[in-house]
Amino acid sequence: VGLRWAATDCESKRTRERARERRSAKGARTTTKAAMAEFTSATFAPPTTTAPAAEPAAEPAAAAADPSTAVAARALGSLGSLLPSSESARSALAAAWERSRPWSEFANTAQMATPAAADVKDRVVENAKYYSFNYLFIVVVVTALNVLLHPLSFLGVIIILALYMYLFVANPEPLALGGLELDHRAKTAALAIFALLTLWLTGAGAAFVSLLFMLAALAGIHMAFRKAPNEVDFDTAYTPAANV
């Protein structure tokens, strides 16, 4: 009985050892398969593409622009708004033509006479009121011809106006240039010096001053020698058209 019990116990021990060996072998095979699968997926898996990082949005052009450039653009825009368009110029010229007195009456040499000294003032005042649109039309036409014949002079005036808009409209406060700060008086002095130099270099000053004096002289002669509208000519029995 004792021998039989010892043999049974030994057989049980061997059975348990074989069971443990099988479990160990099975666990080792499972671990090996998992390692092989991980190695295969890491080695032969297709490469993954990484989306490029989004570039930061570009700053607005106005924010990135140079402040001085923006100010100059505003000044030029303001200057452009002051300049008349071709349509408005044509409309003003047409209105002046329509409201002008008859040109045959305006240029009637038969109504020209040397005035007495006491009548000069009255003639000038009355004719300036009565023929105002005729004079205005002549000024517009002669000025346009002068601009066409002397474009450099007109360019000089435009440059001066642009500088004025930049100094006093776009920058009404004191302006800092480099290490200098220009207040209202300094800006006025700078504009005056620049204007004189520009007018001298382009010839705009001489052209416009001569034009102004010429027109003023012609208008003054016509006002003084043309009989006033309410002045009746008893020699020719001519009465000008009614002042409508």
Side-chain angles (χ1 to χ4, degrees), residues 113-130 135 219-231:
T114 303
D119 297 334
V120 173
K121 181 180 178 181
D122 293 335
R123 276 193 180 185
V124 170
V125 173
E126 292 298 327
N127 285 327
K129 294 178 181 179
Y130 190 76
Y135 298 132
I221 292 173
H222 184 272
M223 291 177 191
F225 284 85
R226 177 68 170 83
K227 292 181 180 181
N230 56 1
E231 183 179 345

Side-chain angles (χ1 to χ4, degrees), residues 42-242:
T43 304
F44 300 102
T48 57
T49 58
T50 303
E55 296 182 358
E59 295 182 359
D66 188 2
S68 60
T69 304
V71 171
R74 289 198 302 270
L76 290 177
S78 301
L79 178 62
S81 64
L82 294 178
L83 295 177
S85 61
S86 58
E87 183 65 27
S88 62
R90 286 195 297 268
S91 300
L93 191 62
W97 174 265
E98 292 175 358
R99 299 182 65 177
S100 299
R101 301 295 177 179
W103 290 95
S104 58
E105 176 187 333
F106 177 81
N108 187 2
T109 57
Q111 295 301 312
M112 299 288 183
T114 303
D119 297 334
V120 173
K121 181 180 178 181
D122 293 335
R123 276 193 180 185
V124 170
V125 173
E126 292 298 327
N127 285 327
K129 294 178 181 179
Y130 190 76
Y131 296 111
S132 58
F133 283 96
N134 297 74
Y135 298 132
L136 177 62
F137 185 82
I138 293 174
V139 169
V140 171
V141 171
V142 174
T143 303
L145 292 176
N146 184 74
V147 169
L148 293 177
L149 295 176
H150 304 89
L152 189 60
S153 302
F154 181 70
L155 179 61
V157 175
I158 292 298
I159 293 174
I160 295 172
L161 289 176
L163 181 61
Y164 171 81
M165 298 298 296
Y166 176 78
L167 292 177
F168 296 98
V169 178
N171 296 282
E173 301 298 329
L175 181 63
L177 293 177
L180 300 176
E181 183 174 349
L182 301 179
D183 56 3
H184 185 82
R185 181 178 298 179
K187 290 192 292 185
T188 303
L191 178 63
I193 295 173
F194 179 82
L196 291 176
L197 290 176
T198 303
L199 293 176
W200 178 67
L201 292 174
T202 60
F208 281 98
V209 169
S210 61
L211 176 65
L212 178 63
F213 275 102
M214 180 186 70
L215 292 176
L218 292 177
I221 292 173
H222 184 272
M223 291 177 191
F225 284 85
R226 177 68 170 83
K227 292 181 180 181
N230 56 1
E231 183 179 345
V232 180
D233 187 358
F234 293 100
D235 297 333
T236 60
Y238 175 81
T239 304

Side-chain angles (χ1 to χ4, degrees), residues 34-48:
M36 290 296 295
E38 184 179 356
F39 174 77
T40 303
S41 63
T43 304
F44 300 102
T48 57

